[in-house]
Amino acid sequence: MQKAIIGKKVGMTQIFDESGKAIPVTVIAAGPCVVAQKKTAETDGYAAVQLGFGEVKESKLTKPEIGHLKKAEVGMMKHLKEFRLDNAAEMNVGDVVKADTFAVGDKVDVTGITKGHGYQGAVKRHGAQRTPTSHGGGPVHRHAGSMGSTSTPSRIFKGHIGAGQMGTEQVTVLNLDVVKVDADLGMLVIRGAIPGPKGGLVYVKSTVKHNKVKQAGADISKNPQKASGRNPQKASARG
């Protein structure tokens, strides 16, 4: 069953498993979210729900937002996000989605806005190499340098690396593990790093990856020429 929730990134830390191994994790203050709108295949052509997160004063919202939320009778919400879920037909306007919707072991995709770094050069922005720092290199060691545009094609192709605004982009990290769920604190602990600064808004949704369960003996080759597929008896002694 697909799941989704809106939350805020608290920060990173580490926890220890039963064997004492350190696991880097990101803590997310997830929900509570309220269903502000429900879309169906009959009226909209597809099934989805719109979740609202973060209560806010009415004066902080626009008139269209206020009218939309008052119609749903769900209170004033700062953030609205639509999710297409396979169980959207079972949800109704006003339902509350909390952190305990997810369980330990779930695979999720986390979407956030990366940290902004302002206007940066090609070295920091794209990992470009510096020019030699000796033999008359001049004060241009971190410049982009020549782009190689000659009479043909006499222009620079789109997408070429160069200086520019860095960060503040929507990024999704796929297939992360939910390590811990705290329903009382509304907290999700997810293995690994997620995009965005502390306090940044994130969307957590069931992963789009297809995780297959590895069957017993799946790593044993059926090729008799490979060591993993041979019998304990030597191949030269068989037959």
Side-chain angles (χ1 to χ4, degrees):
M1 183 180 70
Q2 292 180 327
K3 311 170 187 177
I5 199 169
I6 308 173
K8 287 187 177 182
K9 179 178 176 179
V10 177
M12 289 199 70
T13 183
Q14 63 180 8
I15 60 176
F16 298 89
D17 59 10
E18 296 79 5
S19 62
K21 184 179 179 181
I23 303 175
V25 295
T26 302
V27 181
I28 298 176
C33 298
V34 62
V35 178
Q37 187 181 16
K38 177 180 178 180
K39 295 189 176 182
T40 61
E42 294 77 14
T43 58
D44 303 282
Y46 64 98
V49 290
Q50 184 188 70
L51 299 183
F53 172 72
E55 294 185 2
V56 70
K57 293 181 180 179
E58 184 175 322
S59 60
K60 300 292 185 180
L61 301 177
T62 63
K63 287 185 178 180
E65 291 172 335
I66 294 172
H68 174 68
L69 294 170
K70 282 187 175 180
K71 181 180 179 181
E73 299 180 352
V74 295
M76 299 296 106
M77 295 292 167
K78 184 177 182 180
H79 306 287
L80 298 174
K81 176 68 174 179
E82 183 180 291
F83 297 94
R84 295 195 183 190
L85 307 176
D86 53 9
N87 62 332
E90 304 172 6
M91 305 175 70
N92 298 307
V93 175
D95 290 351
V96 179
V97 180
K98 298 183 178 180
D100 56 3
T101 302
F102 292 88
V104 175
D106 286 350
K107 300 281 189 177
V108 296
D109 299 338
V110 183
T111 302
I113 304 297
T114 59
K115 293 180 180 180
H117 294 270
Y119 191 91
Q120 298 297 333
V123 173
K124 181 173 181 178
R125 190 177 183 219
H126 298 287
Q129 185 178 356
R130 299 193 313 164
T131 59
T133 56
S134 62
H135 300 287
V140 292
H141 306 300
R142 296 177 66 89
H143 289 199
S146 174
M147 298 296 179
S149 178
T150 59
S151 58
T152 303
S154 296
R155 65 187 178 90
I156 299 175
F157 292 105
K158 287 184 178 181
H160 196 285
I161 67 170
Q165 294 294 331
M166 180 180 177
T168 321
E169 298 176 339
Q170 179 173 296
V171 173
T172 300
V173 182
L174 302 177
N175 209 27
L176 299 177
D177 297 319
V178 177
V179 178
K180 184 178 180 181
V181 178
D182 193 320
D184 297 331
L185 298 177
M187 180 179 66
L188 288 178
V189 181
I190 297 177
R191 182 194 299 266
I194 64 174
K198 294 179 181 178
L201 191 72
V202 294
Y203 306 120
V204 184
K205 185 180 178 181
S206 299
T207 184
V208 296
K209 294 282 188 178
H210 297 286
N211 294 285
K212 296 182 179 179
V213 179
K214 194 173 184 180
Q215 301 295 331
D219 56 342
I220 299 178
S221 174
K222 296 180 180 179
N223 187 349
Q225 300 300 324
K226 293 185 177 181
S228 59
R230 294 175 187 166
N231 292 328
Q233 186 179 6
K234 289 185 178 180
S236 59
R238 290 201 304 264

